[in-house]
Amino acid sequence: MSATPEVAENDYDSFAEAYAAENETSLNNAYYTRPAILNLAGDVSGRRILDAGCGAGPITEALRDRGAIVSGFDSSAKMVELARRRLGDDADVRVADIDSPLPFPDGAFDDVVAALVLHYLEDWTAPLAEIRRVLKPGGRLILAVNHPIIYKLIHPEADYFKTVKWNDEYTFNGQKAVLTYWHRPLHAMTDAFAAAGFRTTVVSEPPPAPEAYELFPEELAGRTAFLSFLFFVIEAA
């Protein structure tokens, strides 16, 4: 009997199309994460922005539409293919890994966006150092990660204060997938930011976009906001 092949963790190449299709209109992505990131970014006209872990490029596209000069990268070649399909073949979108040296020069960007990326990593030291390197002094990292309370809500017996690996099952546009995360307490996040030379300026637990209440009446009934992700703006010192 042949052995069952081992499935790579967070193998976005295997479900990129389904993930991208699902998140074009999903509550958590289209009507929560993306508007929150764009609101935190503010006026981006003329700013050079790197979308780290850009996926199929919806945030990259939205920033470009607001006048930013955008670049992006993702570790998934399939996601980069989808991003180029969205943004055009001449778009500066590359295959690269946030956990490795990035193919960009020092101080190249005014802002970096990392939406739902860092929570896949056990150690934030190297990624934050690389992001700090490619940012101009005073540049911003605008990021979203799993809210640390989520792990504790799903696993009430767990120790909130430990950095631990966990996973969750999803169905993206009818295709099943398992994503693996690293939970870390809030203080571990802000300690990592400070150690990498960043100053935390915003911590946000935003409401969804206003139109979400009509589109998702059952999920949002009686709620002004909900716990899902935690958003930060941190500045390169």
Side-chain angles (χ1 to χ4, degrees), residues 53-112:
C54 64
I59 291 177
T60 324
E61 181 182 46
L63 291 167
R64 187 182 68 178
D65 289 348
R66 286 162 172 76
I69 303 159
V70 295
S71 299
F73 71 88
D74 201 279
S75 61
S76 163
K78 184 63 178 177
M79 282 295 193
V80 169
E81 178 187 324
L82 294 175
R84 288 201 181 113
R85 192 183 303 170
R86 176 192 292 267
L87 299 165
D89 290 338
D90 60 342
D92 181 16
V93 186
R94 317 181 193 187
V95 178
D97 193 332
I98 197 171
D99 215 11
S100 301
L102 298 176
F104 305 100
D106 295 359
F109 299 101
D110 299 297
D111 302 308
V112 173

Side-chain angles (χ1 to χ4, degrees), residues 30-77:
Y31 296 96
Y32 182 59
T33 304
R34 292 205 286 275
I37 290 287
L38 295 172
N39 286 340
L40 290 171
D43 182 3
V44 297
S45 181
R47 295 181 72 84
R48 294 188 175 274
I49 302 181
L50 175 64
D51 190 356
C54 64
I59 291 177
T60 324
E61 181 182 46
L63 291 167
R64 187 182 68 178
D65 289 348
R66 286 162 172 76
I69 303 159
V70 295
S71 299
F73 71 88
D74 201 279
S75 61
S76 163

